[in-house]
Amino acid sequence: MGRVRLYRVSSVVVRQRDLGEADRVLVLYTRERGKLAAVAKGIRRPRSKLAGSLQLFSHASIQLAAGRSLEVVTQARARDTFYELRTDMVRFAHASYAAELLDALTDQGMVDTVLFDLLLSTLAALDSGGDASAVIRGFEVKLLTRLGYGPELDECVSCGAEVEGRGQRFSVTQGGVLCAKCGPLGSGAHLSPAGLQALRELRHMDATAVSGKRLSASAREELARLMRAFVDSHLDRPLRSSAFLAQESLDSA
Amino acid sequence: MRAYPRSLARLIEELEKLPGVGPKTAQRLALHLLHASAEDAAALAEAIQDVKQSIRECPVCFNYTDADLCPVCSDPHRDEATLCVVGEARDLLAMERAGGLRGRYHVLGGLLSPMDGIGPESLRISELLARVREGKIREVVLATNPTVEGDATAMYLAAQLRPLGVRVTRIALGLPVGGDLDYADDVTIARALEGRTEM
Ligand SMILES: [Zn+2]
Ligand SMILES: [Zn+2]
């Protein structure tokens, strides 16, 4: 038997499922290797040394052993467990949505430190009580933009003309705003000037700044509906946490 | 699997569906059963069928039962004023094994988990609130797992229960018995401190 290859990464648990008697398979988003799946052996036993550091959403510094199909976690040290995320439903559900969305839109082996930092700052902003709706809209816009899906917010997606701040309509299928001329011809969704302005700002704000921003009730509702349709258009199947947010009426909370 | 006769292959296949049983273990168990006495094999088959036919959910607490009410609900010596809420029936069995609770139980049937699509209406929360509204219960002990889902569920339940005028408590979480303090992670130590008791 050759020597087992060990390596360290900085990771966030984005999904987990129980395996066998006491193990768990974790889907980790890591800074150094992107998304990967790893087994945490014995983690469901009360005395597990891994359990405290590898809960859902936990940011930890971990050591992995390369396995044949799955990596194996050999050590873990918590950097931040984002404990407050479990103290209320709004934060819990939004953090779940962020983790599920990142998982759904990324493939294993794709390394992107920008996305890792985005996930981390989003969880931190939700944890510290930032406006969940604004934080999540910011997360969506930055995540989708980084992955090359848009949304286009400056030029008309139909004719390329510059779109003024007045805002008109938004085409989910074409992935961006329509100008005053093209808007009425297409089947875009309504996008108010305030909504467009908010989306443009969210693109460039980091999560900490976003968390201090409160969206108006109407912008909140409008953007939740619009972004949900836009995000769904890039997914193979709708996210469970997205349905949860809608069902519990938390998505514009 | 080709090397096996059809009936043996079928047994291996069925065993492989069990949680925690991989192909190798399934093969070992199947061969073990093959060499077991006819009585032992029949007893196992009968036990499996019996469980499927006779075990239901207790209509009051949702524990497993083979009678109208489960053993806990039908025990008149149980304290009616204390209700312990657990995620799954197996958690109830663990609490009973430990034997520290004189009250009754309520099994939620899972824990809140947005990612798995499990919301309040998927769990027996309305049934829990209805039991508390009957007025005999004075304390509700929340004994869900100390995980993100378990804590979030406990927080949610506490908010629903408090307006009903009952005392709501959470089981103490902290250092495992027999563990070394310097091995414990920060969250565990912080929670052990929160749950400290008078001496
Ligand atoms: Zn145009
Ligand atoms: Zn019962």
Side-chain angles (χ1 to χ4, degrees):
Chain A
M1 241 171 76
R3 271 233 316 264
V4 182
R5 197 166 51 83
L6 295 173
Y7 59 97
R8 298 200 145 271
V9 291
S10 182
S11 74
V12 173
V13 180
V14 292
R15 179 178 278 285
Q16 53 184 12
R17 81 180 151 78
D18 290 349
L19 178 76
E21 287 268 296
D23 306 342
R24 209 169 259 158
V25 176
L26 308 173
V27 176
L28 304 169
Y29 198 82
T30 72
R31 191 164 216 286
E32 297 79 1
R33 311 257 173 151
K35 190 168 81 173
L36 58 87
V39 182
K41 289 189 175 150
I43 194 171
R44 282 148 62 210
R45 295 211 171 91
R47 284 194 211 182
S48 163
K49 284 168 200 163
L50 300 175
S53 325
L54 290 173
Q55 297 277 300
L56 187 62
F57 311 133
S58 283
H59 175 209
S61 183
I62 65 173
Q63 189 184 59
L64 294 167
R68 234 176 312 163
S69 55
L70 292 169
E71 312 291 81
V72 178
V73 184
T74 52
Q75 282 174 25
R77 177 153 203 94
R79 305 274 292 275
D80 198 333
T81 56
F82 299 120
Y83 190 77
E84 296 301 317
L85 294 178
R86 54 183 88 178
T87 60
D88 84 58
M89 202 58 141
V90 174
R91 296 187 212 184
F92 177 42
H94 281 85
S96 300
Y97 173 76
E100 194 183 2
L101 182 59
L102 182 70
D103 183 24
L105 291 177
T106 53
D107 294 315
Q108 297 211 4
M110 185 178 103
V111 180
D112 190 336
T113 55
V114 172
L115 288 190
F116 180 81
D117 293 339
L118 173 62
L119 174 65
L120 211 54
S121 60
T122 299
L123 293 175
L126 292 171
D127 183 68
S128 59
D131 184 274
S133 185
V135 171
I136 282 300
R137 295 292 89 82
F139 175 76
E140 289 169 332
V141 171
K142 278 176 280 198
L143 174 64
L144 292 169
T145 304
R146 179 77 189 168
L147 294 172
Y149 297 134
E152 173 59 56
L153 300 173
D154 303 305
E155 287 172 4
C156 172
V157 286
S158 189
C159 73
E162 199 175 314
V163 173
E164 300 298 316
R166 280 175 297 137
Q168 287 290 332
R169 299 190 81 75
F170 183 95
S171 167
V172 167
T173 44
Q174 289 168 280
V177 285
L178 295 164
C179 72
K181 252 185 268 159
C182 302
L185 309 171
S187 56
H190 174 73
L191 178 59
S192 69
L196 176 58
Q197 186 56 33
L199 281 183
R200 282 177 173 169
E201 281 172 26
L202 289 173
R203 249 188 325 188
H204 304 297
M205 280 165 98
D206 65 43
T208 326
V210 170
S211 67
K213 185 178 171 64
R214 278 198 72 83
L215 299 172
S216 72
S218 60
R220 193 177 284 261
E221 225 169 284
E222 176 187 2
L223 295 183
R225 204 171 333 111
L226 189 98
M227 288 307 289
R228 181 169 184 190
F230 185 56
V231 166
D232 281 353
S233 74
H234 293 290
L235 295 170
D236 299 328
R237 56 174 183 82
L239 300 184
R240 288 197 173 128
S241 43
S242 171
F244 184 99
L245 285 168
Q247 197 169 6
E248 302 302 314
S249 313
L250 298 171
D251 50 356
S252 47
Chain B
M1 205 70 85
R2 264 293 152 83
Y4 291 116
R6 180 184 285 271
S7 64
L8 186 54
R10 181 180 159 207
L11 179 59
I12 295 175
E13 231 178 85
E14 291 302 320
L15 289 168
E16 258 192 74
K17 292 180 189 166
L18 299 173
V21 177
K24 277 197 190 126
T25 310
Q27 186 180 316
R28 214 178 58 237
L29 291 172
L31 291 175
H32 173 85
L33 290 169
L34 185 64
H35 292 121
S37 70
E39 296 86 70
D40 282 355
L44 177 64
E46 204 191 298
I48 293 172
Q49 276 186 336
D50 188 37
V51 147
K52 286 311 289 178
Q53 279 163 14
S54 62
I55 298 289
R56 288 164 290 162
E57 276 174 355
C58 172
V60 176
C61 74
F62 304 100
N63 182 14
Y64 301 128
T65 182
D66 54 7
D68 285 347
L69 291 178
C70 77
V72 178
C73 289
S74 55
D75 180 352
H77 303 297
R78 289 281 180 154
D79 172 16
E80 277 190 288
T82 310
L83 187 70
C84 178
V85 178
V86 294
E88 306 277 1
R90 61 170 181 268
D91 303 330
L92 183 161
L93 299 176
M95 299 282 292
E96 281 297 286
R97 254 197 329 264
L101 187 95
R102 290 192 51 251
R104 301 205 165 153
Y105 293 94
H106 190 86
V107 181
L108 293 170
L111 298 171
L112 294 175
S113 176
M115 272 187 227
D116 299 306
I118 304 174
E121 60 297 316
S122 323
L123 305 175
R124 280 91 175 224
I125 293 177
S126 55
E127 291 88 343
L128 168 66
L129 300 178
R131 282 181 82 180
V132 173
R133 278 197 199 96
E134 282 170 19
K136 286 183 199 153
I137 295 160
R138 283 199 303 274
E139 177 178 354
V140 178
V141 183
L142 300 173
T144 51
N145 287 341
T147 57
V148 175
E149 292 86 351
D151 283 341
T153 305
M155 290 286 182
Y156 178 83
L157 291 177
Q160 306 278 307
L161 289 163
R162 270 189 218 105
L164 304 181
V166 281
R167 182 168 174 231
V168 183
T169 55
R170 178 98 170 97
I171 49 166
L173 309 161
L175 298 168
V177 174
D180 275 357
L181 195 59
D182 62 340
Y183 274 131
D185 61 278
D186 302 350
V187 186
T188 304
I189 293 178
R191 296 187 61 162
L193 258 176
E194 264 175 49
R196 65 187 182 275
T197 53
E198 206 80 47
M199 286 189 69

